[in-house]
Amino acid sequence: METTVVGAETSVDVAVVGAGPAGLYAAYCAGFRGLSSAIVDALPEPGGQIAALYPEKKIYDVAGHAAVRGRELIDQQVAQAAPFRPRYLLGRTAASLTPGEDRDQGAGWTVALEDGGRVRARAVVIAAGLGRSVPRTLPGLRPYEGRGVAYHVPRLEEHQGRDVVIVGGGDSAVDWALALAPLARSVTVVHRRTAFRAHEHSVKQMYAADIRVLAEAQVTACTGAGRLEEVRVSSGGEELTLPAQALVAALGFITGLGPLADWGLRVENRQIAVDRAMRTNLPRVYAVGDICTYPGRVPLISVGFGEAATAANHAALELRPGSRLAPAHSTDPDTAPLS
Ligand code: FAD
């Protein structure tokens, strides 16, 4: 995966904002049309909601896959785009969009990043999903972020042999508890209510598994010199001290358009309005995936793939007037990226 240096300026044909499934596929489709791309994502790894919320879950409704684990789908997408060498700018937030000096000469747009980096692109595909998502937290957790406290579980193996405390009562909390139980030294779920919001079947599995469940309980403090060592929990009038090298706060995310709200885009119900070619109201700026809206849109991974293909091919047509809208077939030996 080709990454770029913080603060550096990058020039490409297409800037993709968002490395979820729609953004990754947009980069592939742009590459297939001979366009270079850079993919910006605020998260430290590609995959969007899939990587952040359900990397270990099987997805059953992606065309061509009877079942595919979230992480595997993203790995395959990264591999699919790799022949076209998209540049990944991960852990970096796209802050503003401004027109380049001479759009006809290819200057197009400049996407400025929060860390001072800039991506100059002739076209932009916004694939920002739910927009900026900020994890909900609890008092006392922030000082241990990255030092034992996390808001999702990118790699289960990291928790091998650890005492893990998971806070929350939704699907993510229960799914991670079930996934970690076989490899962690201990797993404790702390939830402030008696009833769990998670799927009933998963909750039953959790109670049957080797998982300690503390319902009607709250985390009151984290302690440790440098790294997290213990978590204090108030449960049924008792104060418990749990050894913990990891705490996963699965409390959900606060989402919003974030900086995109100031980009001059036409927004409807916190989503970017597009036409049938996935064009926004700004020239050569497209929106695809869950961030975009049009009448009858269905928020599914497979729908985002189609939108990404539509946007990338329209961008190719606009950037190379006289070219065809429809791409060549990938089965054609002259065009197949892996041939
Ligand atoms: P996302 O996956 O949301 O990715 C958007 C990316 O944009 C994020 O990584 C975000 O960090 C980044 N971003 C946003 N703003 C900025 C910015 N300013 N700068 C930089 N980066 C930015 N769908 C299915 O089809 N089948 C399923 O079985 C299924 N199961 C699901 C289970 C769960 C628990 C959840 C939560 C969702 C599920 N979905 C499922 C929905 C599916 O995950 C989404 O439809 C899909 O992820 C949308 O993809 P996307 O690429 O549009 O956006």
Side-chain angles (χ1 to χ4, degrees):
M1 195 182 290
E2 192 180 328
T3 53
T4 68
V5 182
V6 170
E9 184 160 310
T10 306
S11 288
V12 285
D13 293 320
V14 182
V16 180
V17 178
L24 291 172
Y25 195 57
Y28 164 79
C29 293
F32 190 75
R33 293 301 300 257
L35 302 172
S36 60
S37 70
I39 314 175
V40 182
D41 203 299
L43 296 176
E45 61 176 333
Q49 289 174 53
I50 299 178
L53 298 174
Y54 57 107
E56 301 301 329
K57 277 198 157 179
K58 281 192 182 161
I59 307 169
Y60 296 92
D61 56 356
V62 175
H65 294 272
V68 59
R69 217 170 276 282
R71 175 174 317 292
E72 195 188 330
L73 178 66
I74 296 305
D75 288 349
Q76 284 295 325
Q77 283 202 256
V78 169
Q80 185 182 33
F84 305 115
R85 302 172 65 89
R87 287 172 223 167
Y88 288 87
L89 290 83
L90 300 175
R92 302 172 71 180
T93 299
S96 69
L97 179 72
T98 47
E101 302 85 54
D102 184 352
R103 215 169 289 168
D104 290 337
Q105 291 304 306
W109 294 97
T110 298
V111 179
L113 311 185
E114 263 182 8
D115 61 21
R118 287 151 81 87
V119 182
R120 286 159 57 91
R122 300 169 65 205
V124 177
V125 176
I126 303 173
L130 303 173
R132 172 185 269 180
S133 42
V134 180
R136 291 181 201 277
T137 188
L138 292 172
L141 298 194
R142 290 242 185 264
Y144 289 95
E145 281 175 12
R147 297 188 294 136
V149 168
Y151 298 95
H152 62 277
V153 182
R155 312 255 158 222
L156 290 174
E157 319 78 73
E158 284 172 17
H159 296 295
Q160 180 99 37
R162 286 183 173 169
D163 299 298
V164 184
V165 172
I166 298 175
V167 191
D171 278 312
S172 295
V174 174
D175 289 348
W176 280 328
L178 288 169
L180 289 171
L183 53 119
R185 181 161 50 207
S186 72
V187 175
T188 306
V189 175
V190 179
H191 180 38
R192 66 194 166 110
R193 302 187 198 286
T194 324
F196 280 77
R197 285 187 323 280
H199 199 279
E200 207 182 313
H201 176 66
S202 313
V203 175
K204 273 193 187 145
Q205 281 185 305
M206 174 179 72
Y207 276 107
D210 185 14
I211 295 170
R212 185 177 186 188
V213 181
L214 299 174
E216 291 193 80
Q218 293 210 33
V219 170
T220 52
C222 291
T223 57
R227 273 196 69 82
L228 181 69
E229 289 169 15
E230 287 178 343
V231 173
R232 301 221 174 106
V233 176
S234 129
S235 171
E238 250 188 288
E239 286 297 319
L240 307 174
T241 300
L242 310 175
Q245 298 80 50
L247 181 148
V248 182
L251 300 164
F253 292 81
I254 302 162
T255 57
L257 278 177
L260 273 63
D262 303 322
W263 288 15
L265 296 155
R266 192 156 70 79
V267 170
E268 290 171 9
N269 280 335
R270 298 196 294 167
Q271 286 169 300
I272 301 168
V274 291
D275 67 11
R276 287 180 186 198
M278 312 315 296
R279 292 186 202 99
T280 69
N281 57 310
L282 301 178
R284 294 185 186 168
V285 179
Y286 303 80
V288 300
D290 283 4
I291 195 76
C292 79
T293 186
Y294 50 82
R297 180 172 196 275
V298 180
L300 285 176
I301 296 163
S302 52
V303 172
F305 287 162
E307 293 162 351
T310 300
N313 284 292
H314 278 275
L317 183 63
E318 283 203 59
L319 297 180
R320 303 222 172 96
S323 63
R324 286 157 38 116
L325 172 62
H329 288 143
S330 70
T331 44
D332 183 336
D334 295 335
T335 57
L338 303 171
S339 62

